[in-house]
Amino acid sequence: MSTDQARRIIPIVAAEQQVGRLGLNRMQKQRIAAQTGFFLLFILAPVFNLLRYDLTAGHAWFLGMEWHLGIDDFTAGRIGAAEAGANVLLRLFLPIFAGAAAFIWVAWKWGRLYCGWLCPHFSVVEAINKLMLRASGKPSVWEKGTLPPWEPDGSPRRRDARWWLLVVPAAVLFAFTWAVVFLTYLLPPAEVYGNLFGGTLTRNQALFIGVFTVVLSLEFLFARHLFCRFACAVGLFQSLAWVSNRDAMVVGFQRQRASQCATCLPDRESACDMVCPMRLNPRNIKRHMFTCTQCGQCLQACEQSQRDNPDGPLLSWVSNEAARQNEAGFRAGRSQ
């Protein structure tokens, strides 16, 4: 290759890398916007009767409309058993099964997108991770040691114990918010918020909010990752569907360039390991990435750490045949 040809190619490579960098940054902004929007929806859905079950009225609300199964009409003798059974089938089981099927299909094809892009709990996980990392150098109290003091772009990350003054209050505030919101899914929101702001909560309401706040505070502080990885049924079913599909989207790793990971950050550390909110190693086989939330932070970290590498990042999302080849590359590497 001539010198002139090389000069023409290098700017093209640099331009493609810049486009990829902008795309990943834009993706993370879109993900944060989606998380924020869904968190607000989680809070406001009961207020506008978009989705909740009213224990006082004895029926559900959906998209601002009362949602009855017709059981009361059956017990009152206004409809027969056949019509009551059809109502239960069409108004309860059919919507549940259709929604579950669509949910599992998305997970089968793309993984735990709900967890990484929408789930209100995972939003809290990431928020407390960042605060705890600033306070202690560890994203979780169960981390074996402090993470290397570097950002993915190589800049130093500072630790300050004063951030603990925000970690605990933030966890309690999130827990209190969740407790109140959960109660509005069961009781009229106007009653709950009216009693809360007026200081006139009933004994049961105060007990519900108090107990849930304590339990969720402990979960947010000590067990948020453990819950996502081992206790969340919604996440588990998504992971099972995703792992069963060999063509599903997965983080691909260029194993032939694995040596470059050793120089990713100072002290021979890898940026992708540092940023994963689920504390996974993104450069691993799919079954060891069982709880991956497809948040894409490892891809962005790899891109930032390899920004000066003309070959580009080592991680990228792959699917279909590329996903199969990625997994085959891991097996081949282990058999050698």
Side-chain angles (χ1 to χ4, degrees):
M1 180 184 297
S2 67
T3 303
D4 290 340
Q5 289 176 320
R7 288 175 178 172
R8 286 195 296 269
I9 291 174
I10 291 175
I12 293 174
V13 172
E16 290 177 346
Q17 291 176 350
Q18 181 66 17
V19 171
R21 182 180 300 114
L22 292 174
L24 288 172
N25 290 337
R26 187 182 302 112
M27 182 195 69
Q28 287 302 321
K29 291 180 180 178
Q30 292 172 346
R31 191 176 73 88
I32 293 173
Q35 286 180 315
T36 303
F38 199 82
F39 198 94
L40 292 175
L41 179 63
F42 165 68
I43 294 174
L44 296 176
V47 175
F48 295 101
N49 291 324
L50 298 179
L51 178 65
R52 69 182 183 91
Y53 185 83
D54 194 324
L55 292 176
T56 302
H59 62 78
W61 289 83
F62 181 67
L63 299 180
M65 300 178 292
E66 295 185 10
W67 193 266
H68 296 271
L69 295 180
I71 302 298
D72 293 338
D73 291 335
F74 173 70
T75 56
R78 290 188 291 268
I79 61 175
E83 186 176 353
N87 286 340
V88 172
L89 177 63
L90 295 176
R91 298 180 185 181
L92 179 63
F93 291 110
L94 186 60
I96 289 176
F97 288 144
F103 186 77
I104 293 300
W105 180 81
V106 171
W108 180 81
K109 191 170 182 64
W110 292 292
R112 292 175 65 164
L113 286 183
Y114 170 77
C115 294
W117 288 71
L118 297 177
C119 178
H121 182 273
F122 194 70
S123 303
V124 175
V125 169
E126 291 192 81
I128 297 179
N129 276 6
K130 293 174 182 178
L131 291 175
M132 197 169 286
L133 185 61
R134 287 179 174 270
S136 65
K138 302 192 298 182
S140 167
V141 295
W142 306 116
E143 197 81 14
K144 294 181 180 179
T146 59
L147 300 186
W150 308 101
E151 298 290 350
D153 60 4
S155 61
R157 181 177 57 241
R158 304 190 184 281
R159 183 176 61 187
D160 191 335
R162 288 176 295 182
W163 280 93
W164 280 111
L165 298 175
L166 286 179
V167 173
V168 176
V172 174
L173 180 60
F174 276 125
F176 176 77
T177 301
W178 273 54
V180 173
V181 171
F182 274 137
L183 188 57
T184 63
Y185 275 88
L186 301 174
L187 297 177
E191 175 186 339
V192 174
Y193 287 119
N195 291 350
L196 178 65
F197 294 132
T200 57
L201 288 172
T202 66
R203 178 182 177 275
N204 288 339
Q205 291 171 355
L207 187 62
F208 181 96
I209 293 175
V211 171
F212 261 67
T213 298
V214 172
V215 172
L216 289 173
S217 295
L218 295 175
E219 195 268 338
F220 287 153
L221 285 171
F222 301 106
R224 58 191 183 279
H225 302 100
L226 300 178
F227 176 83
C228 288
R229 297 182 68 172
F230 305 113
C232 179
V234 175
L236 174 64
F237 283 112
Q238 288 180 93
S239 293
L240 290 173
W242 177 61
V243 171
S244 68
N245 180 14
R246 295 178 60 192
D247 293 334
M249 184 178 72
V250 67
V251 174
F253 174 53
Q254 299 184 35
R255 287 184 57 84
Q256 67 276 15
R257 297 171 54 198
S259 60
Q260 296 177 15
C261 290
T263 58
C264 186
L265 291 178
D267 304 324
R268 301 179 68 82
E269 298 287 349
S270 299
C272 59
D273 294 343
M274 304 299 105
V275 300
C276 178
M278 293 294 281
R279 313 311 306 135
L280 304 175
N281 178 353
R283 297 164 290 122
N284 216 328
I285 58 177
K286 189 174 182 179
R287 61 186 175 88
H288 289 166
M289 293 289 291
F290 184 77
T291 55
C292 174
T293 61
Q294 309 291 40
C295 69
Q297 293 185 67
C298 57
L299 278 70
Q300 185 182 39
C302 184
E303 188 279 329
Q304 290 175 343
S305 65
Q306 301 292 332
R307 63 190 181 282
D308 297 326
N309 190 333
D311 294 329
L314 291 80
L315 299 180
S316 62
W317 266 325
V318 296
S319 58
N320 300 322
E321 182 59 28
R324 291 173 177 261
Q325 293 300 322
N326 182 73
E327 193 73 5
F330 280 112
R331 295 195 185 97
R334 295 196 168 200
S335 64
Q336 292 176 355

